[in-house]
Amino acid sequence: MQQQLDPAWVARVVQVALDEDLGPAPGRDVTSQATIPPDAVGTAHLVARAEGVVAGLVVVQEVVDQVAQRLGTDGVTVSLTVEDGARVWRDEVLAVLVGPVQTLLVAERTMLNLASRASGVATHTRRWADVLDGSGAQVLDTRKTTPGLRALEKYAVRCGGGTNKRMGLYDVAMVKDNHVVAAGSVAAAVRAVQERFPDVDIQVEADTLDQALEAVAAGARFLLLDNMPTPLLAEVVAAVRAGEPTTGRVELEATGNLTLDRAAEVAGTGVDYLSVGGLTHSSPILDLALDLQAS
């Protein structure tokens, strides 16, 4: 099972989302609280409206718990029928929720927003992972995430069979073209990071064969091969691999202008990773619904 979400992070995100939907705590749902007796108890099914890969189901219990606390109602029992990362089919029941109907309906949109978003990312990621299966290459995400939801979206990438790159600016140094301009050269930029933050890994972006070889010579052991047509990408991979008996292993990532149609071709050049910002910035949601069952 993939690394789980931090419960404290989940609690904070759910609190913000509920404040957004209900107003500042405790908040209110004027429709549900006016039409449904507080002691009415019911059952609801969380259902997939389309085929895909689910993620974010781990937030459902936190959402209903916080709503119950805000409304002062009894708790809701959540029984998941599938786990995050599972492939699901249209009309499949993902969870059964039993508890106060007010609580179920007040919690509905927040749980669906989070789980649908995460499941959309997981479903998109799985398409890439399936295309790359057996190639030796993995699909990576980027920092192009929804502000405030990065941990959830990167968790969803893992649920879909992808790999997280870096979580933020703090855990990996990534020397890109603007850093090279500011520092004066690739070597100068790499050296500056090594001197200031010797404990972090360094990745270097390269647009040409010469830049890639310069980065390796400067000590970089992870290269982002940016926007390269397939023949150039293959040439760079071959050149870097030829030097590995001397340099040691260099991880290679293709990035920029990647599509599912090109994925197998790009993986065939021998890169280790394909970096796809669209996993998190352009995935449509997976349509999920909460269906209250007739009593």
Side-chain angles (χ1 to χ4, degrees):
M1 177 60 70
Q2 54 279 333
Q3 178 187 354
Q4 295 298 305
L5 289 167
D6 175 11
W9 181 89
V10 172
R12 291 194 302 272
V13 166
V14 169
Q15 178 183 339
V16 170
L18 289 174
D19 283 346
E20 185 176 67
D21 209 23
L22 307 178
R28 63 184 186 177
D29 173 350
V30 295
T31 310
S32 296
Q33 289 177 279
T35 60
I36 301 168
D39 58 350
V41 174
T43 298
H45 291 170
L46 180 60
V47 180
R49 290 284 189 253
E51 177 184 345
V53 176
V54 290
L57 299 182
V58 292
V59 310
V60 172
Q61 187 70 64
E62 180 66 28
V63 174
V64 294
D65 286 350
Q66 287 198 28
V67 170
Q69 183 177 19
R70 287 175 182 239
L71 299 183
T73 66
D74 292 337
V76 172
T77 300
V78 178
S79 301
L80 299 180
T81 59
V82 298
E83 294 184 345
D84 282 344
R87 292 182 185 265
V88 299
W89 308 100
R90 180 182 175 86
D91 297 327
E92 183 171 351
V93 175
L94 312 179
V96 177
L97 294 78
V98 180
V101 176
Q102 271 195 14
T103 302
L104 294 173
L105 297 190
V106 171
E108 175 182 5
R109 180 45 50 195
T110 294
M111 76 171 71
L112 292 179
N113 281 349
L114 294 171
S116 294
R117 173 65 184 148
S119 296
V121 171
T123 299
H124 188 183
T125 303
R126 174 49 62 188
R127 295 192 187 105
W128 282 86
D130 286 348
V131 169
L132 296 177
D133 187 34
S135 70
Q138 301 177 62
V139 63
L140 287 178
D141 56 20
T142 71
R143 288 170 45 245
K144 296 175 182 177
T145 54
T146 306
L149 293 182
R150 179 171 297 175
L152 178 66
E153 292 174 346
K154 283 181 171 281
Y155 168 77
V157 166
R158 300 194 298 273
C159 289
T163 301
N164 296 151
K165 194 172 182 182
R166 55 177 181 166
M167 290 303 294
L169 295 172
Y170 59 89
D171 55 344
V172 173
M174 188 181 297
V175 176
K176 305 186 80 172
D177 51 0
N178 286 333
H179 301 108
V180 173
V181 170
S185 67
V186 170
V190 170
R191 185 167 57 251
V193 175
Q194 289 172 331
E195 292 174 354
R196 180 71 183 275
F197 299 106
D199 59 321
V200 302
D201 293 332
I202 301 175
Q203 303 175 0
V204 178
E205 181 182 79
D207 301 320
T208 66
L209 174 59
D210 287 344
Q211 288 177 349
L213 296 178
E214 180 186 1
V216 173
R221 294 298 175 263
F222 191 118
L223 302 184
L224 292 74
L225 307 179
D226 188 37
N227 280 299
M228 292 185 178
T230 304
L232 176 58
L233 187 62
E235 180 184 2
V236 173
V237 171
V240 172
R241 297 286 185 237
E244 286 183 338
T246 300
T247 64
R249 175 69 174 168
V250 179
E251 293 183 278
L252 300 175
E253 169 197 318
T255 184
N257 196 31
L258 299 179
T259 64
L260 275 170
D261 290 341
R262 284 191 68 213
E265 173 187 300
V266 170
T269 65
V271 294
D272 301 292
Y273 307 104
L274 281 71
S275 179
V276 181
L279 298 182
T280 51
H281 71 59
S282 295
S283 293
I285 67 163
L286 181 66
D287 190 10
L288 307 179
L290 189 72
D291 293 340
L292 190 65
Q293 303 302 293
S295 56

